Every structure is written in structure tokens, then in C-alpha cells.
Amino acid sequence: MLPPPFPDWLWMLSKGLKRKREEEEEKEPLAVDAWWLDPGHAAVAQAPQAVASSSLFDLSVLKLHHSLQQSEPDLRHLVLVVNTLRRIQASMAPAAALPPVPSPPAAPSVADNLLASSDAALSASMASLLEDLSHIEGLSQAPQPLADEGPPGRSIGGAAPSLGALDLLGPATGCLLDDGLEGLFEDIDTSMYDNELWAPASEGLKPVPEDGPGKEEAPELDEAELDYLMDVLVGTQALERPPGPGR
Amino acid sequence: DAEIDLKKIINSALIVPIELEMGLPADIISTVEFNHTGELLATGDKGGRVVIFQREQESKNQVHRRGEYNVYSTFQSHEPEFDYLKSLEIEEKINKIRWLPQQNAAYFLLSTNDKTVKLWKVSERDKRPEGYNLKDEEGRLRDPATITTLRVPVLRPMDLMVEATPRRVFANAHTYHINSISVNSDYETYMSADDLRINLWNFEITNQSFNIVDIKPANMEELTEVITAAEFHPHHCNTFVYSSSKGTIRLCDMRASALCDRHTKFFEEPEDPSNRSFFSEIISSISDVKFSHSGRYIMTRDYLTVKVWDLNMENRPIETYQVHDYLRSKLCSLYENDCIFDKFECVWNGSDSVIMTGSYNNFFRMFDRNTKRDVTLEASRENSKPRAILKPRKVCVGGKRRKDEISVDSLDFSKKILHTAWHPSENIIAVAATNNLYIFQDKVN
């Protein structure tokens, strides 16, 4: 069993959202729901420990939230608080009773909140923040989310890192995927790509039908043009690491 | 060297605290370091300033009073910067100062903030050229027609002036915050360490550094551990150690590979199950690591203890000293007020027989490794008169408090001694208590 990717887990906790099992109850903004204080719950049977754990849990979540709101969080502090939070949570959850992470079906409402939120501080979970740091550092992974990106709002885990990369490129490119690839070229003059200098680039693509020089050709050329434009925007021609699936 | 007896420092000693305000408003001292001879003592503060003290020459007339430290040079090492890409201000606070060994008349030191390391040259000027031919006394050019003789300027003595000039700026190599710098024993290279990476520099080259350790995970979501401190071996220029937030120390050999991701040795003490708590990891996080002068041992400081490790034994330390174990039952409160994240440093004395580290309430502790005796002293204006012997302090844990004891609950956690330094060969220590610097020395009888 893999540990939960903690953007989902932490993000939900820090926003005070319920776990999946408590979905039907009312949402309290910014208050961490203490399901573990529910007397019916097995973990709460050991009352004093659970109460102590829960207040520590609240405290840790607050610390994490506060840390994430810093413009440049202290990485050591952040890592130690997160690891402590994991320990507390592990001790509160009976072995197999809880799902480690709310599964994606619960995510869409959260994802909508996430994507709709314009507050930069609130919208950065730890993973996206750290992804930002790594993107800014190397400027070489920016194309990767484009390869991995699915439909927007698929899940927080997928969306958060991509958001970081897209933010880097500028707000306009946030629309890149909504409009589809063709939308990128609506107002770009592509006549410069029609000369023979670009023949080598298009040789690697699927063969272009002879009798469809216009629109039908455009999709194949778009990929090469897209790659080239991405490189130009990012300012580098070479990638440190080739974009790969997942990891 | 004679074995240092702790009793000498406390009982028969003449303690001379020299307190200095670091300017108005007084800035919090963030690092303290003696140079290799002990002649100079450098401090860095939160405002990016470096103040260097020099020991005055011993006077034959006052044999019983050893040289005191006076201000030698003050300069602004780092200024606040703005990182436009991330829209962040980079603090000017000096995280560490390290001296280079002296090779000529000038002194060299490295100072670093979160992002940039600088090499400073501190030199004296006590002569001035006078008697220029082409300019008059006030520096105005003379009419060439009035010049009838040739004069060569001569050097004449002037009031001593100490100037600090930045000779190298090593920038743009760290994404994360620099926590350590360490000069290599080859005196040609040094390393700088941040939360996730360690870089190796050549003093002559500022636009390039080699990355020798990188613990950044491919997926930042998997980050669970950071680098907390790093230091080169005092004699073997290929060996260094770095500590982590999980209480481990890795010793690396640069000859093994270009990227030292695989350690040569791994030091970790197994967790004591009876002491296990939610805070086990936080209190095991190592805040400082120092090689002994001999190079045979390393000392680490975590939240509650100081540990001495033998380089030849990786599975546990050879000595463990409790700094303030009475805090173990207060960890929850200390977590709440973030004190549990305080980073204390530790130092060896010149002969590696005594170790020293700071605590709260302006207390600092010394441990004699041979006699196993320890003492708690206080750096405070109110509680120590000039030239008065420092009185040992004691913290009472519970029950009856004796007359001179202080109870755990009365400790002032805002008064923390994080930075101390020990003269390389004599019993002179420098203790930074927030914005005051104390220098203590034992009496020569």
C-alpha cells in the first residue's frame, strides 16, 4: 500500500474538508473536522490518547497551513511537520479501517474549489509549491505536464503539479488545454514555418497526405511547432530529464 | 596540551565578560567564529553585518590580564535582495562565517546568507603615498608650466585603517537555503550546503560549482528528509560529512564518484522504544555536526542531546550527553511555540576534551569528556559582574526547589544560546546571547 500522495491528503485537511466517509455532513470552513472524536468510532474508544492526538493533529495542520502561506517556507520545518502529521494520523487510524486518501470521486468538488481559488497562497499545496521550486530551478520540466495532462479537474494530485508549471509560463497558457492544441495557433502567423528550413523537423512526423496541405496537415505540424514554441518560451532547447509518465 | 579541567574555568578562574551592543538597533547575532590562530573573532548578524574583534597584544606590564578583544573591523557583508522570479525577498542574515587559514598579511573569510557566499579580504593599511608631483595638496591638478622638478611620491605612516573588500561572490548556485559552508583542508576548495544539495567550489571560480550531493527526490511529493549541516574532514580533503533532519549522518568520499549520492559510512542510532513519541523525529533532527580537531570523531547536536561518534563505529555514538533532558516532558508545548525547531550549535575545545553547547534562559553547557563532569553557566548581564567568576546554575525539575536553582517552568525560552565558539588553543569562549556577545576566559594564575 503506497502512502497517500500528500497534496490530496494535506490539502483536504488544511482546508477543513471532510474525508470521504463524512461526505454527507455539513462542511465547516477552516475547521478541521474531528471525526475521531465521534464516540462511535473505534479509535476514540481509547479516549485520552485520541483527544491528545486530535489536538496535536489540529495544531500540526495549523502549522502546516501557516508554513505553506509563507512566501518561501522553511523546508526543514515543513518536512518535519508533515512527517509528524503522518505519525499522528497513523496512530489515530486503526490499521485498515480508513482509506488512506479520499479517492478521486470525492475530488471533483475539491478540485473545483482548488481550481477556482485565485488566492495564490491557498491554492498551493505542498507538492505544487515544491514543484514550483523545481520548475523554477531547472525550467526544464515545463513541457512535461503537457504530455501528462488529462482533462482539467481530473484529480488534485494530477492538477496541482501542472498548475505550478503552467503558472510559470503565464496566465494565458492556462487556457492552452481548454481550447485544445489548435487554439494555440489561432492568432499566430505560421507562414514562417512553411519554408524549407523546417523540412527536417517534419520528416520525423507521420507522412503528410499529399492532397491536404491545409487544415489536414495542420495537426501533424502542430506537434513539432508546439514543441518548438515550448522550447522557445521556456528558453532552452535541451531537457535535463525526458518527460516521462507518472513519477 | 594540558588537559583542561572544568573546575579551573569555573572556580579558580577570572571570568571577563565583554558585552558589546551590535549597533542600534542591536541586531541578533547569527554566527560566531574564531579564526585559526584565535587572534580574530568574527560575528555575523541578522542585518547582514560582520563585526571582527581582534585580541590585543599581551602587555608585559599586565601579565595577569590576558589580551582582551576589541573591535577590529565592521562591514556590511550582505544586503537584502529581491528575487524577481519568485517574488521573494532574500534575507541578508549571515548564516555562517568560516575563516581561511592565513597565508599572507591579509585575512580572508567566507560569509553566507541563504543564497550567496562571499569571500572577503580584510587588510590593514597604515601607510599613505604623499608628495605627488602633478597634483597639489588638495588633489587639484597643477598647471604643468609650474612644475619644474620631478618628485616621486613616498609612503608615509598614517593611522591604521582596516578595510574589508569583497573578493569573490559565489551566487546563483542554490535553489534552497544555505545552512553550511566548510573550507577544505586543501585550502583551494570549499563546499556550501542547502536543504537538498551540496556544491563544491574552487575559490578562484565564481561562475561554476560542482554538485556533489543531491537528495532532491524526482517527485517532490516524496520529500521526507533534508540536509541540515555539512563539514569537511579537517585533514582528508576528499572526505566530508552531512547530517539530516532524520538524525542520520553520512560520510562521503569524493574519490568514489563525482556525485556522492552513495555514502561511504552511515551513522544512525536505533530509536529507543521507551522514549518514542510523536516528536521523536523532530528531536532527532541534527542541527549541527562538527569534526573533532583530531579528525577521529564527529559531534552532533540534536534537540536534547550532544553525541560523539567514532568514525569507525556507525551503529551508535560512543558518548551521549544530556543537554536539557528536563524538556523531554515539555515537548508538546515546545512544539506549539516552535521552540522544538530551534537549531543549536556545538563546539569542541582545542584539545577535543571538552564540548560546549547552548540552551535556553541564556544557559550554556560544557561537558568534560574525560572526567564526565558537566556544568551549566549563564551568559547574562544581571547575573555576572565583570571579572566575577561564573556561578554554576542548576535547573530543578520538580519538587523542592533549592535556593539557587531555577525551576523548569521559570525558564525563559526567548533567551536561547544557539551560537558559541571556542578559541583554537586557549580557554577562551565566545557566547552569543541574542544581541549580546560574551567572551569568557579562564584566569592565568
Side-chain angles (χ1 to χ4, degrees):
Chain A
M1 184 192 81
L2 290 172
F6 61 72
D8 298 308
W9 176 70
L10 290 178
W11 177 239
M12 291 191 72
L13 289 170
S14 68
K15 285 279 278 183
L17 296 171
K18 302 293 196 224
R19 302 178 151 269
K20 182 188 176 190
R21 54 193 280 132
E22 302 295 306
E23 230 177 323
E24 60 277 5
E25 292 186 23
E26 221 175 17
K27 198 160 59 166
E28 289 172 33
L30 289 181
V32 179
D33 175 47
W35 59 264
W36 42 87
L37 288 180
D38 173 13
H41 196 277
V44 186
Q46 321 145 24
Q49 185 186 354
V51 170
S53 300
S54 82
S55 59
L56 259 181
F57 190 89
D58 296 352
L59 178 62
S60 300
V61 168
L62 280 171
K63 278 189 185 299
L64 180 67
H65 196 59
H66 181 256
S67 193
L68 289 171
Q69 283 184 322
Q70 307 287 324
S71 49
E72 201 174 19
D74 177 351
L75 213 56
R76 171 184 166 260
H77 186 271
L78 198 54
V79 162
L80 288 175
V81 169
V82 164
N83 290 350
T84 304
L85 204 43
R86 279 186 171 138
R87 272 190 193 226
I88 297 169
Q89 206 219 3
S91 79
M92 289 182 338
L98 280 180
V101 68
S103 36
S109 59
V110 179
D112 289 345
N113 289 336
L114 176 62
L115 293 172
S117 169
S118 58
D119 183 340
L122 287 178
S123 68
S125 65
M126 177 175 174
S128 73
L129 179 74
L130 294 172
E131 281 294 327
D132 282 348
L133 290 177
S134 66
H135 287 305
I136 286 164
E137 178 208 349
L139 286 185
S140 61
Q141 295 178 24
Q144 179 182 355
L146 292 172
D148 292 341
E149 181 62 26
R154 176 186 57 167
S155 77
I156 307 172
S162 317
L163 269 183
L166 292 174
D167 283 344
L168 183 64
L169 296 173
T173 53
C175 310
L176 178 69
L177 302 150
D178 293 341
D179 295 347
L181 295 178
E182 292 73 23
L184 177 67
F185 301 103
E186 268 171 12
D187 49 356
I188 295 176
D189 174 14
T190 56
S191 60
M192 65 182 282
Y193 301 119
D194 294 336
N195 66 24
E196 58 189 10
L197 279 176
W198 295 105
S202 51
E203 269 171 11
L205 300 176
K206 288 183 285 188
V208 175
E210 289 284 328
D211 52 357
K215 280 284 186 188
E216 292 92 307
E217 224 176 275
E220 282 80 17
L221 285 174
D222 280 351
E223 277 192 32
E225 291 169 24
L226 179 62
D227 284 339
Y228 175 73
L229 278 171
M230 286 307 306
D231 288 339
V232 167
L233 283 169
V234 171
T236 177
Q237 293 290 323
L239 297 175
E240 276 179 32
R241 266 195 288 262
R247 200 171 159 76
Chain B
D1 288 345
E3 283 299 326
I4 289 155
D5 188 347
L6 271 180
K7 268 186 104 165
K8 264 172 88 174
I9 293 181
I10 314 158
N11 291 340
S12 65
L14 175 76
I15 307 293
V16 184
I18 303 170
E19 301 161 10
L20 291 138
E21 296 284 340
M22 307 303 288
L24 294 167
D27 256 326
I28 296 170
I29 302 171
S30 48
T31 183
V32 187
E33 188 83 357
F34 280 99
N35 75 338
H36 293 258
T37 61
E39 181 202 353
L40 299 180
L41 174 68
T43 61
D45 67 23
K46 202 161 167 250
R49 267 178 322 173
V50 171
V51 180
I52 302 178
F53 300 86
Q54 185 188 43
R55 194 173 183 196
E56 64 183 28
Q57 298 296 335
E58 285 177 31
S59 152
K60 292 211 165 44
N61 301 331
Q62 301 178 331
V63 188
H64 61 276
R65 203 182 120 176
R66 281 206 297 223
E68 293 183 353
Y69 283 83
N70 303 310
V71 178
Y72 178 66
S73 171
T74 305
F75 58 93
Q76 188 73 32
S77 171
H78 287 69
E79 300 272 5
E81 283 174 50
F82 195 74
D83 180 334
Y84 292 96
L85 191 59
K86 293 195 211 175
S87 240
L88 299 168
E89 187 163 287
I90 300 170
E91 265 188 40
E92 67 274 32
K93 172 168 76 85
I94 308 295
N95 293 338
K96 284 283 168 12
I97 288 175
R98 289 289 182 263
W99 290 93
L100 271 69
Q102 198 174 0
Q103 290 172 310
N104 53 35
Y107 304 102
F108 287 88
L109 62 80
L110 286 175
S111 69
T112 187
N113 68 349
D114 283 339
K115 298 286 185 179
T116 304
V117 184
K118 294 188 185 181
L119 177 69
W120 286 89
K121 176 182 176 182
V122 182
S123 49
E124 296 181 2
R125 186 195 293 270
D126 62 354
K127 294 182 193 47
R128 173 177 54 214
E130 283 179 15
Y132 283 100
N133 210 38
L134 302 174
K135 295 181 187 173
D136 66 14
E137 301 286 314
E138 277 123 47
R140 289 178 301 209
L141 286 172
R142 290 167 64 186
D143 177 1
T146 66
I147 300 170
T148 54
T149 58
L150 184 69
R151 257 192 328 167
V152 177
V154 292
L155 293 174
R156 297 216 186 281
M158 59 178 262
D159 288 340
L160 180 66
M161 197 171 75
V162 181
E163 19 179 52
T165 45
R167 301 298 301 201
R168 304 272 188 276
V169 177
F170 305 92
N172 302 320
H174 286 279
T175 306
Y176 307 101
H177 291 176
I178 297 175
N179 52 56
S180 312
I181 45 175
S182 178
V183 179
N184 205 351
S185 52
D186 63 8
Y187 303 148
E188 289 181 2
T189 56
Y190 76 92
M191 68 156 132
S192 54
D194 67 29
D195 294 313
L196 297 179
R197 298 196 177 96
I198 302 180
N199 294 330
L200 181 72
W201 301 84
N202 182 300
F203 280 111
E204 300 303 319
I205 301 168
T206 58
N207 60 359
Q208 189 180 309
S209 71
F210 288 100
N211 176 240
I212 53 176
V213 173
D214 187 340
I215 65 166
K216 184 182 172 209
N219 190 349
M220 280 296 262
E221 296 176 10
E222 293 164 13
L223 181 66
T224 58
E225 190 174 14
V226 298
I227 296 170
T228 53
E231 195 180 51
F232 268 118
H233 190 282
H235 313 308
H236 305 310
C237 58
N238 53 284
T239 303
F240 65 93
V241 292
Y242 69 93
S243 59
S244 84
S245 55
K246 284 195 169 174
T248 66
I249 307 106
R250 288 169 176 80
L251 183 136
C252 300
D253 185 335
M254 295 195 292
R255 296 169 303 189
S257 67
L259 184 63
C260 297
D261 272 354
R262 289 181 182 208
H263 48 264
T264 304
K265 294 197 185 198
F266 181 77
F267 299 84
E268 185 179 30
E269 185 173 27
E271 195 180 356
D272 176 4
S274 65
N275 265 336
R276 204 161 180 211
S277 77
F278 289 131
F279 309 110
S280 293
E281 181 175 326
I282 300 181
I283 64 170
S284 77
S285 173
I286 292 173
S287 50
D288 195 14
V289 65
K290 293 265 171 48
F291 273 101
S292 63
H293 291 91
S294 64
R296 288 173 50 197
Y297 306 104
I298 47 178
M299 168 168 56
T300 58
R301 174 71 154 97
D302 51 61
Y303 191 62
L304 296 178
T305 73
V306 179
K307 297 183 166 125
V308 176
W309 306 73
D310 186 316
L311 284 190
N312 297 317
M313 186 157 74
E314 298 167 56
N315 59 348
R316 61 179 175 82
I318 56 169
E319 296 155 28
T320 299
Y321 300 95
Q322 302 296 332
V323 180
H324 37 216
D325 200 55
Y326 45 78
L327 297 182
R328 200 177 286 272
S329 55
K330 313 273 179 197
L331 292 180
C332 206
S333 318
L334 295 165
Y335 178 64
E336 199 170 359
N337 62 18
D338 269 348
C339 280
I340 206 175
F341 298 101
D342 286 337
K343 292 186 287 183
F344 293 93
E345 292 170 8
C346 53
V347 290
W348 299 87
N349 75 336
S351 60
D352 298 335
S353 59
V354 182
I355 57 184
M356 174 170 69
T357 189
S359 178
Y360 294 105
N361 210 71
N362 279 350
F363 288 169
F364 58 100
R365 302 261 285 140
M366 288 186 195
F367 302 92
D368 186 320
R369 296 178 60 215
N370 299 322
T371 65
K372 300 302 178 197
R373 287 185 358 205
D374 62 83
V375 67
T376 303
L377 302 169
E378 183 179 359
S380 114
R381 240 194 281 238
E382 299 82 32
N383 294 334
S384 56
K385 299 185 177 13
R387 304 187 193 287
I389 295 166
L390 282 183
K391 205 168 137 189
R393 302 285 176 210
K394 192 143 163 50
V395 176
C396 106
V397 186
K400 282 213 159 281
R401 185 177 76 86
R402 285 196 213 127
K403 198 183 126 205
D404 287 328
E405 291 181 354
I406 180 166
S407 79
V408 184
D409 301 309
S410 313
L411 293 174
D412 187 343
F413 289 91
S414 68
K415 294 186 181 167
K416 47 194 95 175
I417 292 182
L418 305 173
H419 313 288
T420 61
W422 203 309
H423 188 286
S425 52
E426 296 182 40
N427 275 353
I428 305 173
I429 58 176
V431 176
T434 316
N435 53 8
N436 286 318
L437 179 72
Y438 293 79
I439 300 179
F440 300 109
Q441 43 193 338
D442 67 351
K443 179 179 183 179
V444 176
N445 276 326

